[in-house]
């Protein structure tokens, strides 16, 4: 592979270095482009621009491949669990049993939020969206750990475990507050996902019977959402981390980026779409006609992906889980039938096929969460709980990169050229 690329601008040829990734992707290194040529590149949405090199997650969108630190997502889904996968993403290796036990003990040790933080919940209206609460509370939590702000490398492992564990506690507490229910504290003898279900659905003085199948399905959902290379929210975390902001501030920014309906907010938007189709007595075919009419402004939420131009491998796994969980819970959900009908029609329709639009991770995930009893406005919070290890792994990669610089993109200015100030009386 020639490690040079040629660029011709107005008859002048420039040579640029190239970089080849461990899976053979080729990148043209433009770090010196402006100095060499005076020109910059323009790539709105960054669909063609690599912001970094990374050793964490690999995606091949054409082949529908997703690997965390080299391990295929389908194998991890079958053989691993969320906490083990979180360790893999953050530290680069599957843990030994001793390391896994130590990591789990850290998550248990840091599962409580500072008691004073409960006052913050009082300040939110009962109608506050849980993602607004989550981003605010993560930042609020940082004020209780001053070392986080002073030397972010120091005690990183403690802060990482604290964040993974507390994002789950904050989510459950915000649900209980919104419902006017007493908060349920975590229990030290429960595993990560079981503890979340306990904090969400137990009642004081009663120990909820935690359905192991539901706990396993939830754990799998967290695992499948744990990382996804340079998606919008992870890139946001890296951008904030590049200014040497602390881990909690970077994660809070990631929560805000994830909230958008084109990104993590899509799982809630999918359920709202399915509910609307169901309410209109449509089997999905009328809705898809509207989607194909650009003037309708409708999108088939949960379909399409910037990188996957084939099936999102996570969607295949979640769809399989949907059938299993609903059967185990003896739940029949008409929205699942509509989702399957939409998929069947869309995958045979030239409009979607020609645009490489396939179900993504959000298309079926909401149906499982609905079956578990998670309220719709908490779906994206669940995505954030799952994505936290990936954000932390990317933050760590920025923090440990000696060549890391503050992210500061350029622009092409298209506004007015120089003009003089005019007194207000002379303005038309
Ligand atoms: C996630 O990046 C990640 O990795 C994200 C994620 C992760 O794990 O972090 O995988 C999680 O965010 C998954 C995506 C969830 N979002 C949705 O499901 C929302 C619906 N999908 C889209 O709006 C869209 O597909 C995006 C945002 C996901 C991708 O948008 P792109 O890459 O900018 O694609 P585009 O908008 O340029 O669309 C290309 C064409 C357009 O038509 P034409 O102009 O070529 O005629 O496809 C059409 C779009 O109109 N199109 C859709 C569509 N998505 C794209 N048409 C109908 N329904 C859709 N969902």
């Amino acid at each position: 592979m020639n490690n040079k690329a040629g660029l011709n601008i107005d008859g002048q040829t420039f040579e640029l270095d190239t970089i080849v990734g461990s899976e053979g992707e080729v990148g043209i290194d433009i770090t010196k482009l402006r100095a060499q040529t005076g020109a910059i590149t323009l790539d709105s949405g960054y669909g063609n621009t690599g912001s970094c090199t990374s050793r964490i997650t690999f995606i091949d969108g054409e082949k529908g491949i997703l690997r965390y630190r080299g391990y295929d997502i389908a194998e991890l889904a079958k053989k691993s669990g969320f906490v083990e996968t979180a360790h893999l993403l953050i530290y680069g290796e599957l843990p030994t049993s001793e390391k896994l036990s130590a990591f789990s003990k850290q998550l248990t040790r840091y599962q409580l939020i500072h008691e004073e933080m409960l006052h913050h919940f009082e300040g939110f209206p009962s109608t506050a969206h849980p993602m607004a609460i989550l981003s605010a509370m993560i930042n609020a939590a940082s004020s209780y750990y001053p070392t986080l702000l002073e030397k972010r490398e120091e005690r990183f492992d403690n802060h990482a475990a604290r964040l993974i564990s507390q994002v789950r506690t904050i989510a459950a507490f915000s649900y209980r507050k919104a419902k006017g229910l007493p908060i349920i504290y975590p229990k030290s003898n429960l595993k990560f996902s079981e503890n979340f279900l306990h904090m969400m659905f137990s009642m004081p003085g009663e120990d909820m019977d935690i359905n192991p199948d539901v706990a396993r399905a939830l754990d799998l959902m967290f695992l499948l959402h744990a990382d996804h290379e340079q998606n919008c929210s992870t890139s946001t975390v890296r951008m904030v981390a590049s200014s040497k902001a602390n881990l909690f501030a970077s994660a809070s920014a990631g929560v805000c980026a994830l909230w958008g309906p084109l990104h993590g907010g899509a799982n809630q938007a999918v359920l709202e779409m399915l509910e609307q189709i169901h309410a209109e007595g449509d089997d999905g075919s009328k809705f898809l006609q509207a989607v194909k009419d650009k003037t309708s402004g409708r999108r088939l939420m949960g379909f399409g992906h910037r990188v996957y131009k084939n099936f999102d491998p996570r969607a295949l796994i979640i769809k399989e889980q949907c059938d299993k969980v609903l059967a185990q819970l003896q739940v029949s959900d008409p929205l699942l039938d509509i989702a399957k009908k939409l998929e069947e029609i869309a995958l045979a329709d030239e409009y979607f096929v020609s645009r490489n639009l396939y179900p993504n991770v959000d298309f079926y995930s909401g149906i499982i969460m609905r079956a578990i009893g998670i309220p719709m406005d908490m779906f994206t919070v669940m995505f954030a709980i799952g994505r936290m290890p990936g954000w932390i792994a990317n933050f760590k990669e920025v923090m440990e990169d000696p060549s890391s610089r503050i992210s500061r993109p350029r622009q092409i200015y298209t506004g007015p050229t120089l003009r003089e100030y005019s007194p207000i009386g002379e303005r038309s």
Side-chain angles (χ1 to χ4, degrees), residues 114-152:
H114 195 292
E115 197 67 6
E116 286 173 1
M117 278 186 58
L118 296 182
H119 299 302
H120 293 289
F121 285 107
E122 310 310 329
F124 290 102
S126 60
T127 53
H129 194 289
M131 286 295 273
I133 299 173
L134 186 64
S135 55
M137 292 295 267
I138 289 174
N139 247 331
S142 68
S143 19
Y144 293 91
Y145 315 111
T147 53
L148 189 76
L149 280 64
E150 287 140 25
K151 300 184 199 67
R152 57 185 196 166

Side-chain angles (χ1 to χ4, degrees), residues 202-260:
S202 287
M203 291 313 275
E206 291 166 22
D207 268 348
M208 158 192 183
D209 276 338
I210 294 168
N211 179 327
D213 294 324
V214 169
R216 171 69 192 135
L218 187 61
D219 201 74
L220 175 59
M221 292 284 290
F222 289 147
L223 184 155
L224 292 173
H225 286 79
D227 195 45
H228 213 240
E229 55 131 279
Q230 298 313 311
N231 58 85
C232 179
S233 52
T234 300
S235 299
T236 302
V237 169
R238 289 184 81 109
M239 173 77 82
V240 174
S242 75
S243 74
K244 295 203 182 300
N246 70 74
L247 174 62
F248 282 48
S250 304
S252 177
V255 169
C256 296
L258 187 72
W259 193 358

Side-chain angles (χ1 to χ4, degrees), residues 228 231 261-263 266 291 294 299-306 314 351 355 357 360 362 383 387:
H228 213 240
N231 58 85
L262 293 187
H263 188 17
V291 166
K294 290 265 183 202
R299 279 208 162 191
L300 179 52
M301 300 311 276
F303 255 65
H305 199 279
R306 173 61 58 77
R314 302 166 297 177
Y351 178 92
R355 291 170 174 79
L357 300 178
N360 59 49
D362 294 303
F383 194 145
R387 186 53 51 90

Side-chain angles (χ1 to χ4, degrees), residues 7 16-17 27-36 40-41 49:
L7 176 66
L16 298 168
D17 292 334
I28 299 168
D29 185 340
I30 57 168
T31 42
K32 299 187 183 62
L33 178 70
R34 191 167 183 272
Q36 273 181 278
I40 64 168
T41 59
T49 298

Side-chain angles (χ1 to χ4, degrees), residues 400-418:
E400 291 175 345
D401 176 2
S403 65
S404 172
R405 303 168 66 210
I406 188 167
S407 297
R408 203 275 184 218
R410 294 263 180 172
Q411 63 167 22
I412 297 292
Y413 176 69
T414 56
T417 52
L418 181 63

Side-chain angles (χ1 to χ4, degrees), residues 341-358:
K341 183 75 178 167
L342 284 171
E343 182 184 358
E344 180 197 322
I345 301 171
L347 294 187
D349 186 307
E350 190 274 336
Y351 178 92
F352 299 94
V353 173
S354 64
R355 291 170 174 79
N356 296 309
L357 300 178
Y358 293 91

